[in-house]
Amino acid sequence: MSDRLFGDSMNELVAAYMLGALPPEESAEVEQLIAGSHEARDYADWLRPALESMQESVAPRKAPDELRARVLEAVADEARAEDLVTGRARPDATHAPRRATRWRDRFSRPAAVGALTGALLFGGIGLWAGSTIEDAAQEPVRVEVVSGTATASLLPGNTTSTLELNGLGQPAEGRVYELWREHEGTTAPVGVFVPESDGQARVAATELNKEIERLVVTEEPRGGSPRPTGERVATLELRR
Amino acid sequence: MPEVQAGHLSAFEVLYDRHAGAGYALAYRMLGRKQAAEDVIQESFLAVWRNRSRYDRTRGSVRSWLLWTVRNRAIDALRKQQSATPTLDSDDDATLERQEAGEPTADVALRNEQAAQVRGALSGLPDDQQRVLRLAFFSGYTHSEIAKRLELPLGTVKGRIRLGLEKVRTGLGEWAEDDR
């Protein structure tokens, strides 16, 4: 079948990609090939059951009970964090292990607020304090990148502004980026984030009022820091 | 899955109970260490929760998506360990098969049958093809790393991967078609 679709060398690339046997840069090339070629896509679709069955080729093994509790608690934590910032009521909240005290403790620390934001950056979209980026106004603020290699744009909103960053690269293992606002020599945390695989990051933030002069991005330990500790990877001057 | 996508934690618990055993077995098979396998499972289920809105059922089952996530994270863990290489003993699967599955359902029986069929398809491959598939799939080696490790030309490794996968796919026969 495969030889009829296209050459062996192409099939070999797709097969190696499907098996996960390509380094990241080659994988990206093959993804483009599959996206742009019906033959490559058909071959990949035809092979897929072989890979899925290899995943199933290991007989199930009972996962430890304590792992179940740990995983579900971690997920419940994230769900509660979503509820807190969106104000939504979760229909089956009673199923989640309750650790409200711990969450209040966490929210008493500025760094943890950043961590919460990081946990909520799904798909590059941030949610913050009950507002979504959809309420953003349409008057852009000019952002000048005075240090670092990133490009940036800011869309201010009535309650929430959205900062879009490109070209930061990924932070080191176990670390995240943290955004800070600066005004008259004081620095305050805005939120933590990790760019998507395509390098784009969108951070939603409140309290970016007209007095804020500068935004700074540093690399910090996972969960963020109460004050900058890592290297500045970008400095952004806001021009209104 | 729609209920998980809507944020229902109770539905997520069901998802965990259905698929954690398969994920844990795969992670343990690849990493060979209980703690590392547990870490991968926790990361994988959290990733599924965080990315639940991106799940597209037309691109495969939830189980496949989860197991693919587990495998990718296990490969990341393997590559970080660098020196850690799971054994390739043919007895591994048989040992795992004797463990309590913990999912006494008809689905499990079917999956076990399918798993046995795949193991049959794998073991029916020539040793050279079987070996490169196992090194790539379970140990996370790239084709060039396999070529270096086995002292083979890269083209030979690529060819064995293609031929081996095509034979496994062909050997799956009807259930793969029915499962679509």
Side-chain angles (χ1 to χ4, degrees):
Chain A
M1 168 191 172
S2 55
D3 292 344
R4 180 161 47 87
L5 295 173
F6 49 85
D8 280 355
S9 58
M10 286 294 197
N11 286 359
E12 283 168 0
L13 270 181
V14 174
Y17 166 77
M18 297 292 286
L19 192 65
L22 293 180
E25 59 275 12
E26 283 187 58
S27 287
E29 289 173 15
V30 177
E31 280 169 10
Q32 287 184 346
L33 169 72
I34 291 173
S37 160
H38 287 299
E39 289 84 357
R41 196 157 52 247
D42 285 348
Y43 182 65
D45 286 344
W46 181 74
L47 276 185
R48 186 164 289 113
L51 276 303
E52 290 175 355
S53 63
M54 286 184 74
Q55 291 172 346
E56 298 280 0
S57 70
V58 183
R61 181 176 216 205
K62 189 176 186 309
D65 291 339
E66 63 271 20
L67 175 61
R68 181 183 191 279
R70 186 151 45 100
V71 169
L72 295 180
E73 186 171 286
V75 170
D77 274 353
E78 297 230 358
R80 253 191 305 279
E82 286 176 52
D83 293 346
L84 280 169
V85 294
T86 62
R88 284 187 310 223
R90 190 165 297 280
D92 60 349
T94 53
H95 291 278
R98 293 201 169 276
R99 291 181 6 196
T101 303
R102 254 182 76 183
W103 276 99
R104 276 199 298 275
D105 291 346
R106 288 185 190 181
F107 280 108
S108 68
R109 291 176 291 139
V113 176
L116 172 63
T117 306
L120 292 170
L121 288 170
F122 302 140
I125 307 294
L127 300 172
W128 182 277
S131 298
T132 70
I133 62 170
E134 277 75 27
D135 73 351
Q138 297 303 311
E139 285 294 325
V141 173
R142 193 161 68 83
V143 180
E144 185 178 339
V145 181
V146 295
S147 74
T149 57
T151 59
S153 61
L154 182 71
L155 193 64
N158 295 329
T159 57
T160 306
S161 300
T162 304
L163 177 70
E164 185 172 303
L165 290 156
N166 281 286
L168 277 180
Q170 293 293 318
E173 177 67 25
R175 295 175 72 82
V176 296
Y177 291 128
E178 186 156 6
L179 181 67
W180 310 88
R181 59 177 189 269
E182 286 189 351
H183 173 57
E184 293 182 346
T186 63
T187 302
V190 176
V192 298
F193 64 96
V194 175
E196 292 294 296
S197 56
D198 63 2
Q200 187 182 71
R202 297 173 79 184
V203 187
T206 56
E207 299 181 51
L208 287 190
N209 55 43
K210 290 181 180 176
E211 294 175 336
I212 301 301
E213 304 138 1
R214 186 181 293 117
L215 296 173
V216 173
V217 178
T218 63
E219 192 174 291
E220 302 292 337
R222 184 177 294 159
S225 304
R227 56 187 58 82
T229 63
E231 180 189 355
R232 286 190 176 207
V233 295
T235 304
L236 317 171
E237 299 278 2
L238 304 185
R239 313 285 190 203
R240 296 184 171 90
Chain B
M1 189 60 185
E3 291 199 343
V4 173
Q5 288 181 302
H8 290 253
L9 290 168
S10 53
F12 190 82
E13 286 187 41
V14 173
L15 184 144
Y16 179 92
D17 290 339
R18 277 189 190 160
H19 306 305
Y24 183 67
L26 179 61
Y28 188 82
R29 170 69 177 82
M30 294 178 69
L31 296 162
R33 291 185 298 117
K34 183 173 176 284
Q35 187 56 54
E38 288 185 17
D39 290 346
V40 161
I41 291 302
Q42 178 160 355
E43 289 172 15
S44 299
F45 274 96
L46 270 172
V48 165
W49 174 261
R50 287 172 181 158
N51 295 303
R52 63 192 188 274
S53 63
R54 296 185 193 175
Y55 169 68
D56 177 1
R57 63 187 296 272
T58 64
R59 299 180 64 183
S61 67
V62 175
R63 186 181 178 89
S64 291
W65 182 45
L66 169 70
L67 293 179
W68 195 255
T69 303
V70 167
R71 183 168 168 269
N72 286 341
R73 287 177 185 267
I75 286 174
D76 288 344
L78 277 173
R79 289 181 178 165
K80 278 178 202 158
Q81 290 173 19
Q82 290 187 339
S83 58
T85 305
T87 60
L88 298 175
D89 296 345
S90 57
D91 289 336
D92 277 5
D93 290 345
T95 303
L96 288 171
E97 211 163 19
R98 286 194 292 272
Q99 308 275 344
E100 182 188 355
E103 295 178 274
T105 66
D107 282 353
V108 171
L110 176 61
R111 285 188 194 119
N112 283 341
E113 184 184 332
Q114 291 169 350
Q117 191 171 355
V118 173
R119 283 196 294 277
L122 272 177
S123 60
L125 294 177
D127 285 347
D128 52 3
Q129 290 172 13
Q130 193 178 142
R131 195 166 190 207
V132 294
L133 290 190
R134 286 182 183 277
L135 281 171
F137 192 85
F138 290 114
S139 302
Y141 288 110
T142 64
H143 55 12
S144 52
E145 288 168 339
I146 294 169
K148 190 174 176 185
R149 187 179 175 86
L150 299 182
E151 298 180 338
L152 290 169
L154 181 57
T156 302
V157 172
K158 287 179 177 177
R160 287 178 183 176
I161 286 174
R162 178 179 68 82
L163 288 171
L165 271 185
E166 288 182 353
K167 283 181 187 172
V168 170
R169 175 62 183 86
T170 304
L172 290 176
E174 291 176 1
W175 76 259
E177 300 297 339
D178 293 344
D179 208 40
R180 296 269 91 194

